[in-house]
Amino acid sequence: MSGGRQRSMFTVHPNQQSESGIHGQTYLLETLTNCTDPLKAIEEFQVDNGIHLPSLRQMLPLLDLHGIRRLDFHNSILEALRDKLVAHIEEIGKKEGRDRDRKLKDMLAKSFPSVHIKQLRPIIMAILKNISHIDDKYLNVLVKDTELYKDTDTEVKRQIWKDNQSLLVNEVSPLLTQYIREKENILFDHNNLTNLFFTPSPKLRRQGEVVQKLAHMIGSSVKLYDMVLQFLRTLFLRTHNVHYCTLRAELLMALHDLEIQDIISIDPCHKFTWCLDACIRERNVDVKRSRELQGFLDSIKRGHETVLGDLSMTLCDPYAINFLATSTIRILHHLINNENLPRENHVLVLLLRMLSLGLSAWVMIDTQDFKEPKLDSQVVTKFMPALMSLMVDDQVRALNTKMPPDERESAITIIEHSGPVPDAVQAYIQESSVACTVAMYYTLHVAKAKDRLALMRILGSLANCDHDRAFEDPFLHFLVALLIQQVEEFAAEDFCTVIFDEFFCTGLSRENVVRHVLKLVWHVYPKLPPSRLSTLTKVLQPSSTHDEAVHKLYTDFVEKISTDTEPPPEPPSFDYLESPLMSVPTPSHY
């Protein structure tokens, strides 16, 4: 009996043996301990627990003679039958009606006692996966056993998470950490200059691994969706990290793509987020969409003001801020060309209103004071005209450079008397988050246009931005990418004075600013005057409080400048990207 003296193929949980009817190791051990004839006891065990097929019994001795162990034979039969049964269960699960649930529940009642048998567990898990509502007595067993919980499908875990928030937190937290790390890797990447933060489309962004996993974990459960949103709100409050706002919008739109009606039909932010997403995707907000967006904001009823908290998070998303500010600059160009006033353009006022709501998201959620912040009318009546006058000066200067030499001389007076940034612009940059954000994006506009004088004129003013918004990562990421395109300018000391002394160095107490400056210097150092490079190397040296990534980047930079004698490669052109601010819409858009 070459196969008869082997261990049982099943490892049965002691507490489940009598209930499952399967006699495993413990039963066999007790039998052999108490019997008078062990060989006969083994033979009886084989007969009782073998495959009851008469034609097979004659084959077993033949398999023994060929050295095929009974364990291997029975395992192969088990695997084949298990796969067929799992496939059959999946077919039952696709059907509709009470008969399906009754069949699956009957099967579960008979098979669940075997859940601790690892070889049979896939059958039980397949049954659980296809039952819409699982009794608590089964869920409690899965929760208490770590191994069983780990082997459970997401469809079953959804039912566990509804009453076990801590387990959901354990599953979600690593995904959120991964999401934030991926965003920061893009923002701080000093090697790949084509990997720009604002390049991917909304559709592409929400196809990311983390967003899709979260959407799958939530399924159609409104309760789980609400729990995940609460995690995002809490983390946003704790960290001030705006990437949680991005994830909030992307998750909703991923569920929209999957047509999860149970959720999108009850989320009051869905239509607003959907409309805003379409505007960002098309890089335009026309009159029709502006009316829809305004209608959503104006239709919030008394007693439902808390929805403003989620709307503000949607608008605090850096991609939304980028779109609103970019569109604002485009409209200002349009107003200049048509000699119109900002207050007369309703789309512009709406964009500023949404920008104000997005920039106040953290304060609103923190204070639980769900009131839309009133847009300062003077931002429209004083700041915007002052900024437009600055833009006109820069346009005249740019136009002058294209004139023939004789005519260029006649315009020199206008250029020399353009003067500093208007007082109204400087004042509102310091006092208004909306004004400073618009000014930041005008800075990106002139940097993209490689307008050296215009950039030097306004950049220093951003050092005193309201709430230090000019030192936030998305803006610095794009600014540095654009400055690298002007590497030749860094040979001039006056340009370096504005870029480093008047702007970047005022924010070096912030670790993220150090990383962005290191990235900039990494690419432009061959053009820097030796004294400037020496000074920057000293001031950028990280302290013990800085993150390990900053220390490594600084060490690599010092090693690079000490050993690299070859000129740096030409930075990639941004022509393949849509300019963040260059396009001026046709009048029909507004």
Side-chain angles (χ1 to χ4, degrees), residues 536-551:
L536 286 172
T537 304
K538 293 177 182 177
V539 300
L540 291 174
Q541 185 171 5
S543 66
S544 59
T545 60
H546 284 87
D547 188 77
E548 182 182 348
V550 182
H551 283 272

Side-chain angles (χ1 to χ4, degrees), residues 385-448:
L387 181 61
M388 288 169 66
S389 71
L390 180 69
M391 294 167 68
V392 169
D393 283 349
D394 293 334
Q395 287 181 2
V396 171
R397 185 188 306 108
L399 180 62
N400 176 69
T401 60
K402 299 177 182 179
M403 290 181 177
D406 293 341
E407 297 181 23
R408 187 178 305 174
E409 292 297 326
S410 64
I412 194 66
T413 304
I414 298 177
I415 297 170
E416 290 179 346
H417 291 83
S418 57
V421 173
D423 292 341
V425 173
Q426 295 194 30
Y428 280 97
I429 283 176
Q430 298 175 31
E431 299 173 3
S432 167
S433 293
V434 173
C436 77
T437 301
V438 174
M440 286 158 51
Y441 273 79
Y442 179 64
T443 304
L444 291 180
H445 170 72
V446 295
K448 171 66 181 179

